[in-house]
């Protein structure tokens, strides 16, 4: 089986912040890989825009270096690199002033898709949107792409939505959560809604609880000042884990269409109960295994920002009432692993007697690394006298099952940028979704602030603070291991 490349129509893509970290590490390499895959027609134009004085040649040289570093395998093909670079232009632009805008407007083609990627600080989103319209660049085929963080709280998200809505319709605004672009995250929907096997059991009658873990081994290096203002709750829980929760818990949309999917996700967020203070644990990593602690890294010896958060959430609707969702994410943990564990209830009665042992089914959906699915099923322990039960994994690695030609899935940014060009918003967050997620998150953070909450320390290289284990233990449950 070989993955198909669906060609797209000609487009112009302007990257505001085209010289910045995100553009160099993610956006431009992703565009280059799609170029190598042959997904574009020949007259596509990519325009870098930032304040720095550069000409086209200077920008191409900067991008060439970025490709060598961040897309090394594809960058060995010199013909491909030359072909890609020849499509690049650069215009020095001041987001908050008049410089560069006439020139930028003059570069863009008529009557084709124009995508403007806002890879700049969020405070510049408003000035950019205003100038795109003022300089006559907003057409029906114009789309804007905005990066996370989308706001810092509900008020700021509302105000950002209102600013963008003053210049663009909602169907022109693409809010990126790169988690949604991951192949395996989309696979969540395929597994749930493409199989008859799981859906009938997918409710509180059969599911005891669900665990969602996004564990990282990296720290906050390079993002210290942003992270110390944000913390794990804003940086990961409010967006990435919330999106995973929505995909796992939502009702089947009538079709795979942007508003049908996003309506169902929104219903999940709106059905979330407020989180009780004793159902949430914050942590902060401390020095261990030769790695410095969080406070040293951010240079703030009094920081009370969490680098870890675990919580128990409840969705008050017919499907999920009574089934807790345990979510956890943290930095500098023992392993990098994103996994969703659906923990089924015990069989109602053991015909083999209690001594035989009981093992509940567990469906594990691994998002990274080694993407795949494991289902734990109970069988007879071989060779024993009498009937003793043991659980064994039915394990499927997607890479092995799909064959070597499909081992490299497109990076999330490749998928998402091409969706912008195609005009498909299914994997982008709608304004009301983002606001609902902040409405759930804000009281949690406000509670910490009013109580003067201090995160619990945990060692670098551990599984997180001990209190997170207690959160489960109190409910008679335990976390599945982090190590993949
Ligand atoms: P960065 O490295 O600081 O780059 C910022 C870019 O914006 C530079 O190209 C800069 O170039 C340009 N810029 C700054 N002020 C400008 C102005 N007044 N007018 C025009 N251009 C201006 O930041 P980044 O890490 O790439 O992040 C960009 C955005 O993506 C931020 O919103 C960030 O939160 C988000 N994000 C980043 C990452 C990541 O991994 N880096 C991940 C997720 C989200 P000049 O200084 O030459 O103007």
């Amino acid at each position: 089986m070989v993955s198909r490349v669906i060609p797209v129509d000609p487009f112009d893509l302007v990257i505001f912040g085209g010289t910045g970290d995100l553009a160099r590490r993610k956006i431009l390499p992703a565009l280059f890989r799609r170029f190598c895959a042959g997904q574009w027609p020949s007259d596509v134009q990519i325009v870098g825009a930032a304040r720095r004085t550069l000409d086209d040649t200077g920008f191409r040289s900067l991008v060439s270096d970025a490709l060598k570093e961040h897309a090394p395998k594809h960058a060995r093909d010199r013909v491909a690199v030359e072909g890609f670079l020849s499509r690049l232009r650069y215009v020095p632009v001041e987001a908050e002033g008049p410089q560069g805008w006439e020139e930028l407007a003059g570069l863009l083609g008529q009557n084709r898709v124009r995508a403007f990627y806002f890879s700049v600080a969020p405070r510049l989103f408003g000035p950019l949107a205003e100038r795109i319209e003022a300089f006559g660049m907003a057409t029906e085929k114009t789309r804007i792409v905005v990066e996370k963080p989308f706001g810092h709280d509900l008020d700021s998200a509302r105000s950002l939505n209102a600013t963008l809505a003053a210049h663009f319709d909602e169907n022109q605004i693409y809010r990126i959560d790169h988690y949604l672009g991951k192949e395996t995250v989309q696979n969540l929907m395929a597994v749930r809604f493409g199989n008859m096997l799981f859906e009938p059991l997918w409710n509180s009658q059969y599911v005891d609880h669900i665990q969602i873990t996004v564990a990282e081994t990296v720290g906050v290096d390079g993002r210290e000042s942003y992270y110390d203002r944000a913390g794990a709750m804003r940086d990961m829980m409010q967006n990435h884990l919330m999106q995973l929760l929505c995909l796992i818990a939502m009702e089947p949309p009538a079709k795979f269409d942007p508003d049908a999917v996003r309506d169902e996700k929104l219903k999940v967020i709106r059905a979330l109960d407020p989180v009780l203070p004793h159902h949430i644990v914050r942590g902060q990593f401390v020095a261990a295994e030769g790695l410095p602690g969080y406070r040293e890294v951010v240079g703030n010896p009094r920081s009370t920002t969490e680098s870890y958060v675990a919580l128990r959430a409840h969705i008050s609707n017919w499907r999920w009432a009574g089934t807790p969702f345990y979510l956890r994410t943290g930095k500098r943990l023992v392993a990098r692993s994103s996994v969703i564990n659906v923990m089924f209830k015990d069989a109602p009665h053991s015909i083999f007697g209690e001594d035989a042992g009981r093992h509940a089914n567990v469906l594990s959906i691994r998002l990274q690394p080694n993407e795949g699915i494991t289902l734990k099923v109970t069988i007879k322990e071989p060779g024993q006298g009498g009937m003793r039960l043991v659980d064994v994994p039915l394990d499927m690695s997607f890479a092995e099952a799909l064959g070597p030609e499909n081992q490299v899935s497109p990076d999330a940014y490749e998928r998402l940028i091409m969706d912008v060009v195609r005009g498909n918003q299914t994997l982008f967050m709608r304004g009301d979704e983002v606001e609902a997620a902040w409405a759930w998150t804000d009281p949690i953070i406000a509670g910490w602030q009013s109580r003067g909450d201090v995160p619990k320390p945990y060692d670098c290289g551990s599984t997180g603070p001990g209190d997170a284990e207690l959160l489960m233990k109190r409910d008679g449950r335990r976390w599945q291991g982090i190590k993949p």
Side-chain angles (χ1 to χ4, degrees), residues 16-26 49-53 90 93-96 117-125 128 147-149 178 223 226 413:
F16 293 111
T19 57
D21 177 67
L22 184 68
R24 283 181 285 114
R25 275 194 315 111
K26 292 286 181 189
R51 288 170 306 182
R52 196 194 305 183
T53 311
Y90 182 82
V93 166
E94 169 53 74
E96 295 177 285
Y117 201 123
F118 291 9
S119 183
V120 293
R123 68 181 171 78
L124 299 177
F125 292 177
L128 288 177
E147 263 297 337
K148 84 166 210 187
H178 73 272
R223 307 164 66 208
Y226 155 74
Y413 278 90

Side-chain angles (χ1 to χ4, degrees), residues 28-349:
L28 287 155
L31 286 163
F32 175 52
R33 283 191 290 264
R34 286 296 90 201
F35 171 79
C36 294
Q39 197 163 17
W40 303 350
S42 56
D43 53 347
V44 161
Q45 184 175 230
I46 314 279
V47 185
R51 288 170 306 182
R52 196 194 305 183
T53 311
L54 276 180
D55 56 13
D56 291 345
T57 312
F59 183 57
R60 287 171 185 163
S61 154
L62 177 147
V63 175
S64 167
D65 291 345
L67 299 182
K68 279 183 206 136
E69 195 176 344
H70 302 296
K73 200 175 111 207
H74 291 76
R76 283 200 286 271
D77 181 344
R78 286 180 53 193
V79 176
V81 173
E82 290 305 317
F84 179 71
L85 295 180
S86 71
R87 284 161 174 79
L88 302 185
R89 306 294 303 271
Y90 182 82
V91 185
V93 166
E94 169 53 74
E96 295 177 285
Q99 298 91 323
W101 288 94
E102 295 279 7
E103 192 189 339
L104 181 61
L107 272 185
L108 303 183
Q110 296 303 316
N111 201 23
R112 60 194 214 154
V113 168
R114 293 171 173 180
F116 294 92
Y117 201 123
F118 291 9
S119 183
V120 293
R123 68 181 171 78
L124 299 177
F125 292 177
L128 288 177
E130 192 183 308
R131 283 166 181 75
I132 290 169
E133 194 179 21
F135 284 84
M137 287 181 275
T139 68
E140 270 187 8
K141 289 190 172 177
T142 295
R143 289 151 202 172
I144 61 166
V145 186
V146 293
E147 263 297 337
K148 84 166 210 187
F150 198 88
H152 191 71
D153 54 16
L154 178 58
D155 284 348
S156 55
R158 271 189 183 142
S159 132
L160 209 44
N161 274 334
T163 304
L164 297 181
H167 306 284
F168 297 99
D169 289 339
E170 181 61 33
N171 65 14
Q172 297 180 293
I173 305 172
Y174 290 71
R175 295 174 192 78
I176 285 220
D177 181 328
H178 73 272
Y179 251 65
L180 288 178
K182 287 180 189 283
E183 192 78 1
T184 43
V185 172
Q186 293 158 52
N187 226 337
L188 277 180
M189 283 183 276
V191 168
R192 276 196 64 193
F193 304 128
N195 293 287
M196 192 55 203
L197 193 62
F198 303 118
E199 202 50 30
L201 305 179
W202 214 257
N203 56 56
S204 55
Q205 196 180 343
Y206 298 104
V207 177
D208 178 72
H209 72 282
I210 291 181
Q211 303 183 8
I212 303 179
T213 297
V214 177
E216 299 181 291
T217 50
V218 294
V220 297
D221 311 64
R223 307 164 66 208
E224 295 84 354
S225 97
Y226 155 74
Y227 195 92
D228 204 36
R229 279 177 281 121
M233 192 71 197
R234 289 188 172 98
D235 186 52
M236 295 293 290
M237 189 66 81
Q238 183 271 347
N239 38 63
H240 304 322
L241 277 89
M242 179 73 84
Q243 289 296 323
L244 296 181
L245 173 75
C246 287
L247 295 178
I248 248 338
M250 71 184 184
E251 296 301 316
K255 51 188 170 176
F256 191 56
D257 128 322
D259 277 327
V261 171
R262 297 184 300 176
D263 284 348
E264 295 306 336
K265 289 199 291 164
L266 179 62
K267 285 185 209 161
V268 172
I269 305 175
R270 288 193 173 149
L272 278 168
D273 289 346
V275 179
L276 301 172
H278 62 283
H279 285 165
I280 187 157
V281 176
R282 297 167 82 213
Q284 192 183 68
F285 61 82
V286 295
E289 299 197 342
L291 292 163
Y294 177 86
R295 292 177 176 183
E296 293 155 68
V297 175
V298 298
N300 177 1
R302 291 174 193 277
S303 174
T304 56
T305 300
E306 76 285 353
S307 58
Y308 176 101
V309 63
L311 59 84
R312 173 177 147 165
H314 284 271
I315 301 171
S316 280
N317 64 17
W318 271 53
R319 187 187 283 264
W320 293 119
T323 295
F325 287 72
Y326 297 90
L327 279 57
R328 66 178 164 168
T329 182
K331 297 206 171 287
R332 284 275 182 251
L333 296 177
V334 62
R336 170 174 170 261
S337 165
S338 299
V339 60
I340 298 172
N341 290 301
V342 181
M343 315 291 294
F344 288 93
K345 290 186 175 172
D346 283 337
H349 165 69

Side-chain angles (χ1 to χ4, degrees), residues 343-387:
M343 315 291 294
F344 288 93
K345 290 186 175 172
D346 283 337
H349 165 69
S350 172
I351 65 167
F352 309 109
E354 291 308 321
D355 290 347
R358 278 198 195 210
H359 302 275
N361 297 120
V362 179
L363 176 70
S364 301
I365 306 169
R366 296 186 301 275
L367 307 176
Q368 64 185 26
N370 185 21
E371 296 87 342
I373 291 183
T374 306
L375 178 64
K376 276 195 189 160
V377 292
T378 298
I379 61 165
K380 177 185 175 300
E381 196 175 322
Q384 299 289 323
M387 184 64 93

